[in-house]
Amino acid sequence: MMYFIRYFLTITISVKQIFGLVVAGVCILYIGYLSGLFSGRQTATVTTDIVFSLTRLTASIYALYALHELLGKSIDRKFILHLLAFPYPRWVVLFSAWLSIVAISFLFVIIPAMLLPFLVSATVSHEQVIMPNFGLEYWLTWLLMFYDISVVLTVGLFFTSFTKTPFVSLVFGILFYIIGHGYPIVYDYVFFSDFVEETVREPLKPVLTAISYVLPDLDSLDIRYSSLYQVAIDFKKVGYDALQVFVFQIMVILLAVGIFSKRDFV
Amino acid sequence: MLKYLLIAVVFGVFSAMAHLDRPDKRQSYYDSHLAAYPIPIVMLFGFGDRYLPANFNLIKLSVTDVNDQQNLDSREVIHRQIAYLQPRHEDNYYLGNASLSWEGRFESAQYILDRAADYRKQDPWPYVFSGLNAYAHFDEAGAAANFFAFAASRADGNEKKAFETMAENLFARLNNLDIAISYLEMLSENVDQPSLKQNFELKIERINRLKIIRTGVNKYINALGEAPPDLNALVDSGVLDSLPVDPTGKGYFMSKSGLVR
């Protein structure tokens, strides 16, 4: 497996690539800084919040795009046959590609994560009622966001394992990102808020219920409130939610491996 | 290399625009074009992220003219949505309460403050604003005192003493407009946006003129032993030389009991 991981990393990580990641990280920090300037009461919190959101979004899209470039196009152009000629099981190729992109995504996330506390301390001078916490909660938030990106990538891998059009994995990966993060909020809004009328609620019920059974709650992996507003983390709940997502991830990986192993590439 | 140079130029221009464009010049961008969408659409625009649309909508609201009545309904909906998606956002309860409660949208202002009070456990200010709203707009000194007592339980030092004192004194201060003026002055001092500041100053002037009318009504009652039939009676009876005009344009109204609002 190490051979393939080294191979995939070699063709994806280059000086230019790393420079691109640094530029992307700096751009995200800069957008966060500019957005924070609009806040009258909590500049540091808005800056941190925007950097969390944009890093997770761009890193997920980047990871899906890297998967599309690395594996999707290899399958489309039959280069994959060269890799499959090696005396290793097919799942090793698939899993190595996934691991390589996860490693690159880590680089994408770690740059803004490390620079953000310095940016906030350098640019925000006034005290807020609640200041963001850059301690353990901050790093746990990044850890779970990184895990979130790996889950989105897993779904992209699943689509790559069977689709004949490489772009499909990118599009469906992004769709999964949007629905996976957004449906818990829409579900609560439709069923438990006073804003929605019964006539609207009824037709949406079967759709949202079906989604809630099929997709994991990615929003539960987002614990930035603990870092932004100094709220204590409910480790039991977060651990249980992460476990549910992990089970989903394992199932999707097994499914992708199963499909990929039996796929006819010729 | 050219590609990176181009990216640097684009960000440079963006940065220069953001820095050169002061708040008073930003107003025209959103004049009468503020749209509010249902939460599922908002979530779609925010890529499923509850925090991103909350932040960007607040940026949008902060560059919107708060005096534009055409946008009032949209502003109300957006503030409520942000309170639903991200109840801990300090800018939302501060800006939302300031702009909605003084436009008579008390239910929405209170919803935003309630959400903030529930989720920001260390912050006394949502309760303070709730208390001031209860007292300044509804003359409900008892409810206001309760809110100040809650606020005191979350504060410490001088803030705690101040909230406790306010809670204690509120029961004895029915119909006192000075507290409303202090409240508006405090809000005005804490905002940068010139249009919002001007809005607060207009409201302070409105209340100062309201005090003149209330004093006139008291004089009328002392002289004639009954409440005036309408506000013009104050001028006709010679208690006031002329009836003060409301600078916000809403006008002054008198209840049957003689209380002017």
Side-chain angles (χ1 to χ4, degrees):
Chain A
M1 188 190 283
M2 283 312 292
Y3 170 79
F4 285 115
I5 292 176
R6 212 165 40 240
Y7 168 76
F8 285 126
L9 284 176
T10 312
I11 58 173
T12 46
I13 295 187
S14 59
V15 175
K16 199 177 164 186
Q17 188 81 5
I18 291 174
F19 181 67
L21 292 182
V22 172
V23 169
V26 170
C27 287
I28 289 169
L29 289 169
Y30 191 56
I31 294 169
Y33 164 69
L34 289 178
S35 304
L37 293 180
F38 282 92
S39 172
R41 307 283 305 169
Q42 49 169 20
T43 310
T45 310
V46 170
T47 302
T48 312
D49 200 350
I50 292 283
V51 171
F52 276 139
S53 288
L54 291 185
T55 305
R56 189 179 64 180
L57 175 65
T58 46
S60 298
I61 294 173
Y62 172 78
L64 289 167
Y65 181 71
L67 183 74
H68 161 258
E69 287 287 310
L70 202 63
L71 211 58
K73 281 190 176 174
S74 297
I75 294 169
D76 190 43
R77 294 169 188 173
K78 311 290 184 203
F79 296 156
I80 195 81
L81 294 172
H82 163 72
L83 294 175
L84 297 178
F86 283 79
Y88 295 104
R90 282 185 175 190
W91 69 266
V92 173
V93 176
L94 195 71
F95 199 63
S96 303
W98 182 80
L99 270 182
S100 309
I101 300 166
V102 166
I104 300 161
S105 307
F106 179 75
L107 281 180
F108 199 120
V109 169
I110 200 70
I111 295 165
M114 286 177 67
L115 294 177
L116 181 58
F118 296 106
L119 173 75
V120 170
S121 62
T123 56
V124 178
S125 53
H126 65 275
E127 275 294 308
Q128 296 176 188
V129 177
I130 304 172
M131 280 296 282
N133 173 7
F134 291 110
L136 177 69
E137 290 84 354
Y138 175 73
W139 290 106
L140 278 176
T141 303
W142 280 117
L143 184 70
L144 282 175
M145 279 199 180
F146 174 61
Y147 177 55
D148 185 324
I149 294 162
S150 82
V151 176
V152 173
L153 185 64
T154 308
V155 172
L157 191 78
F158 167 69
F159 284 106
T160 308
S161 69
F162 64 83
T163 180
K164 288 181 178 172
T165 314
F167 211 65
V168 166
S169 62
L170 181 64
V171 172
F172 279 85
I174 294 171
L175 268 180
F176 171 75
Y177 179 94
I178 295 171
I179 299 170
H181 288 102
Y183 92 81
I185 298 133
V186 176
Y187 188 92
D188 285 349
Y189 174 74
V190 170
F191 295 121
F192 302 113
S193 79
D194 300 328
F195 304 129
V196 181
E197 290 172 13
E198 199 61 37
T199 49
V200 179
R201 194 171 287 170
E202 277 309 309
L204 287 173
K205 198 171 182 176
V207 180
L208 285 171
T209 310
I211 291 174
S212 72
Y213 282 124
V214 176
L215 295 187
D217 178 357
L218 292 182
D219 187 52
S220 64
L221 296 179
D222 191 347
I223 56 162
R224 74 179 83 173
Y225 53 82
S226 62
S227 170
L228 296 178
Y229 299 100
Q230 301 191 6
V231 179
I233 302 172
D234 183 351
F235 284 101
K236 200 174 166 185
K237 185 185 175 302
V238 173
Y240 180 70
D241 290 338
L243 185 69
Q244 278 188 320
V245 178
F246 181 68
V247 170
F248 171 83
Q249 191 181 21
I250 294 292
M251 281 167 60
V252 172
I253 287 180
L254 289 177
L255 211 58
V257 166
I259 295 168
F260 192 76
S261 301
K262 290 181 180 172
R263 185 169 172 184
D264 182 9
F265 291 102
V266 182
Chain B
M1 196 62 200
L2 192 66
K3 193 165 63 179
Y4 296 118
L5 195 66
L6 191 67
I7 293 170
V9 168
V10 169
F11 268 85
V13 170
F14 181 52
S15 165
M17 283 168 69
H19 282 285
L20 291 174
D21 187 17
R22 288 190 297 276
D24 54 326
K25 291 183 180 173
R26 288 188 197 129
Q27 288 173 22
S28 58
Y29 294 168
Y30 288 102
D31 272 357
S32 67
H33 291 295
L34 189 63
Y37 302 97
I39 281 206
I41 305 293
V42 171
M43 293 302 297
L44 192 66
F45 287 164
F47 286 88
D49 186 341
R50 66 163 73 219
Y51 296 87
L52 203 58
N55 279 314
F56 283 136
N57 272 335
L58 264 170
I59 290 175
K60 195 162 74 172
L61 288 171
S62 71
V63 296
T64 306
D65 183 4
V66 290
N67 294 316
D68 187 351
Q69 293 296 312
Q70 279 182 299
N71 287 331
L72 186 59
D73 289 341
S74 297
R75 264 193 290 135
E76 185 180 10
V77 172
I78 294 171
H79 274 301
R80 285 179 73 110
Q81 286 180 343
I82 297 169
Y84 182 80
L85 293 171
Q86 228 291 50
R88 294 185 180 93
H89 208 300
E90 190 178 349
D91 290 330
N92 187 48
Y93 83 74
Y94 199 87
L95 194 65
N97 174 60
S99 63
L100 296 177
S101 66
W102 292 96
E103 296 292 348
R105 310 285 173 119
F106 301 114
E107 194 191 331
S108 293
Q110 199 53 51
Y111 171 78
I112 294 162
L113 290 173
D114 286 347
R115 293 276 293 173
D118 286 348
Y119 282 84
R120 294 174 63 91
K121 302 286 185 197
Q122 310 99 309
D123 188 358
W125 290 97
Y127 282 131
V128 174
F129 291 146
S130 298
L132 291 167
N133 281 348
Y135 189 65
H137 298 297
F138 297 104
D139 280 341
E140 289 183 3
N146 282 333
F147 281 125
F148 277 106
F150 284 133
S153 70
R154 289 182 174 185
D156 48 25
N158 288 337
E159 244 180 19
K160 190 180 182 70
K161 278 183 197 167
F163 297 150
E164 282 171 348
T165 308
M166 287 179 94
E168 285 166 13
N169 293 341
L170 265 167
F171 286 109
R173 287 190 166 194
L174 268 170
N175 293 336
N176 189 339
L177 295 173
D178 291 334
I179 197 165
I181 292 173
S182 308
Y183 175 36
L184 285 167
E185 281 171 348
M186 184 190 71
L187 289 173
S188 177
E189 282 166 14
N190 281 290
V191 294
D192 297 329
Q193 206 176 335
S195 61
L196 198 56
K197 209 177 255 298
Q198 189 193 5
N199 188 282
F200 288 135
E201 281 162 8
L202 278 177
K203 282 162 182 167
I204 291 169
E205 186 53 33
R206 179 185 196 277
I207 296 173
N208 276 325
R209 293 180 189 183
L210 178 62
K211 279 173 74 177
I212 295 171
I213 299 175
R214 283 193 179 179
T215 309
V217 170
N218 287 340
K219 279 184 187 170
Y220 186 98
I221 293 170
N222 286 339
L224 300 174
E226 59 179 3
D230 55 40
L231 291 178
N232 291 327
L234 297 173
V235 181
D236 297 341
S237 62
V239 172
L240 294 179
D241 295 334
S242 62
L243 196 61
V245 178
D246 179 1
T248 65
K250 288 178 183 168
Y252 298 108
F253 305 95
M254 190 172 66
S255 68
K256 284 178 184 172
S257 61
L259 184 65
V260 185
R261 288 183 190 277

